[in-house]
C-alpha cells in the first residue's frame, strides 16, 4: 500500500479548504501504476522505516490536506510538531512532492542526518529525483520496481518525474523485507471506493470472526471481492468507514491491501 497525496476535496489541485475535508486528499491506498519512472530508496533501513511511519501518519491525519497554492504549510506545521505528522493539530496543506520532501527532511531531523535535513521542501516532481539522489537515495529504474509492489520496501519513494510522487508503506513479497505483495490478488483496474465516514473510536486492530470474510472494494456484498480473509486474521482500521443497509463497513488494511469489511464479522 502507498501514502498518496493527490487532490483537494473538490478533485482539484488548489482552492480548497485547509486540512483534509474528505479523508481522501492524503490517504493510504493500494499500490497502482501511475506509471512510475523510478523508485528512490534510501540504503539505511532506519531512514526507510521512519519515512514510511511518517508518511502513514500524515495520510491518516485529517488536519493535513492537499493544495498546491499552500503546499509549504505542511512543513511549517511539521517543524512545529516535533517533526511528527501525528502531532499536527493545525489545518495545513501539502502537495505530492512537498509532502514527500517534508517527510524526508523531517526524518533527517528526527534521526540526526544532515544530508536529509538539507532536502528542500520547495522540491517538485521535476527535480525530486536529483534532490533525493544528492541526499543519498539510490535510483532504481529496473522494470521489476516499477510494474508492481513485489520488490518494494517500506519507505521507498515512487516517482513519475514531472507528474506525481508517493511513498510505499509495506515490504513486497519478493523484497528482502519478505512482506506480502498486493499486486497479485488486487487487479490494477479494481477501484476502491472513497470512505465518507470517520469515527476515531472505530480506529484499532480487529480480528476476523467469520470462517472466511471477503475484503471488498466498497461497502456491501455487491462490491468486488479483493481477497478472502481467514478466521482470526488481523486488520487495521484508522476510523474510516461507509454505511450500507445500516451496517458499518470498515475501511481497513489487510496485509498490503486496503478495502472494506463488514463490521459484523470483525472484533477488537
Amino acid at each position: 500500500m502507498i501514502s498518496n497525496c493527490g487532490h483537494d476535496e473538490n478533485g482539484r489541485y488548489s482552492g480548497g479548504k485547509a486540512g483534509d475535508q474528505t479523508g481522501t486528499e492524503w490517504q493510504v491506498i493500494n499500490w497502482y501504476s501511475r506509471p512510475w519512472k523510478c523508485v528512490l530508496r534510501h540504503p539505511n533501513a532506519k531512514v526507510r522505516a521512519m519515512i514510511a511511519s511518517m508518511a502513514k501518519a500524515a495520510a491518516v491525519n485529517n488536519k493535513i490536506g492537499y493544495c498546491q497554492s499552500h503546499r509549504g504549510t505542511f512543513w511549517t506545521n511539521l517543524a512545529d510538531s516535533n517533526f511528527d505528522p501525528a502531532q499536527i493539530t493545525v489545518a495545513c496543506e501539502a502537495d505530492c512532492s512537498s509532502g514527500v520532501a517534508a517527510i524526508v527532511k523531517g526524518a533527517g531531523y528526527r534521526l540526526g542526518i544532515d544530508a536529509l535535513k538539507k532536502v528542500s521542501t520547495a522540491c517538485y516532481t521535476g527535480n525530486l529525483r536529483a534532490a533525493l539522489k544528492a541526499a543519498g537515495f539510490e535510483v532504481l529504474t529496473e522494470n521489476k520496481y516499477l510494474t508492481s509492489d513485489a520488490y518494494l520496501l517500506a519507505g521507498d519513494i515512487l516517482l513519475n518525474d514531472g507528474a506525481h510522487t508517493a511513498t510505499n508503506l509495506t515490504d513486497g513479497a519478493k523484497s528482502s523485507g519478505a512482506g506480502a505483495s498486493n499486486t497479485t490478488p488486487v487487479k490494477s483496474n479494481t477501484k476502491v471506493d472513497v470512505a465518507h465516514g470517520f469515527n476515531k473510536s472505530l480506529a484499532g486492530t480487529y480480528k476476523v470472526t467469520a470462517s472466511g470474510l471477503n475484503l471488498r472494494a466498497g461497502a456491501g456484498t455487491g462490491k468486488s471481492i479483493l481477497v478472502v480473509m481467514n478466521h482470526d486474521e488481523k486488520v487495521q482500521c484508522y476510523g474510516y468507514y461507509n454505511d450500507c443497509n445500516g451496517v458499518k463497513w470498515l475501511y481497513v488494511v489487510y496485509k498490503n491491501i486496503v478495502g472494506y469489511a463488514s463490521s459484523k464479522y470483525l472484533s477488537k
Side-chain angles (χ1 to χ4, degrees):
M1 59 187 182
I2 63 176
S3 174
N4 189 76
C5 186
H7 55 75
D8 70 12
E9 67 270 26
N10 301 309
R12 299 174 181 173
Y13 297 127
S14 63
K17 295 180 180 179
D20 194 337
Q21 306 302 312
T22 61
T24 63
E25 296 183 40
W26 194 338
Q27 62 179 327
V28 175
I29 62 174
N30 290 323
W31 181 94
Y32 71 99
S33 176
R34 173 67 184 179
W36 306 111
K37 301 296 181 64
C38 74
V39 168
L40 296 151
R41 174 178 293 173
H42 200 279
N44 187 323
K46 289 184 178 180
V47 171
R48 294 196 304 271
M50 180 64 73
I51 289 172
S53 175
M54 292 175 66
K56 182 183 290 186
V60 300
N61 184 347
N62 281 349
K63 289 296 183 180
I64 310 167
Y66 183 101
C67 179
Q68 287 186 348
S69 299
H70 301 93
R71 66 199 296 267
T73 58
F74 170 53
W75 168 250
T76 300
N77 285 278
L78 184 65
D80 288 340
S81 303
N82 301 309
F83 306 104
D84 182 358
Q87 294 184 32
I88 292 177
T89 59
V90 177
C92 58
E93 307 277 53
D95 63 7
C96 64
S97 50
S98 70
V100 165
I103 284 171
V104 170
K105 189 179 186 76
Y109 278 94
R110 291 177 71 171
L111 296 172
I113 300 175
D114 288 339
L116 300 183
K117 293 180 186 179
K118 293 177 181 178
V119 171
S120 172
T121 57
C123 284
Y124 71 106
T125 52
N127 64 10
L128 188 64
R129 183 191 297 222
L132 294 190
K133 184 177 180 181
F137 283 72
E138 301 167 349
V139 180
L140 307 176
T141 57
E142 288 183 64
N143 197 52
K144 67 179 183 179
Y145 296 113
L146 310 179
T147 55
S148 84
D149 67 337
Y151 290 91
L152 299 181
L153 295 174
D156 282 348
I157 307 299
L158 313 176
L159 178 65
N160 181 320
D161 304 84
H164 191 52
T165 185
T167 304
N168 185 62
L169 299 180
T170 44
D171 293 332
K174 297 180 180 180
S175 71
S176 58
S181 171
N182 72 16
T183 306
T184 300
V186 180
K187 296 179 181 179
S188 60
N189 61 353
T190 302
K191 182 176 176 60
V192 178
D193 291 350
V194 171
H196 297 289
F198 177 77
N199 186 331
K200 190 174 182 179
S201 68
L202 294 174
T205 301
Y206 291 77
K207 279 188 176 182
V208 175
T209 59
S211 58
L213 180 61
N214 293 324
L215 185 68
R216 296 180 179 271
T221 56
K223 298 293 183 175
S224 299
I225 297 172
L226 302 177
V227 69
V228 179
M229 303 179 291
N230 297 318
H231 182 262
D232 273 349
E233 286 196 296
K234 294 180 180 180
V235 300
Q236 181 70 36
C237 177
Y238 295 102
Y240 298 98
Y241 68 92
N242 279 340
D243 284 314
C244 182
N245 297 324
V247 176
K248 281 185 170 56
W249 286 67
L250 304 185
Y251 184 67
V252 300
V253 179
Y254 167 70
K255 295 183 178 178
N256 286 16
I257 309 169
V258 293
Y260 291 83
S262 172
S263 61
K264 292 172 62 176
Y265 306 104
L266 295 173
S267 176
K268 272 190 177 181

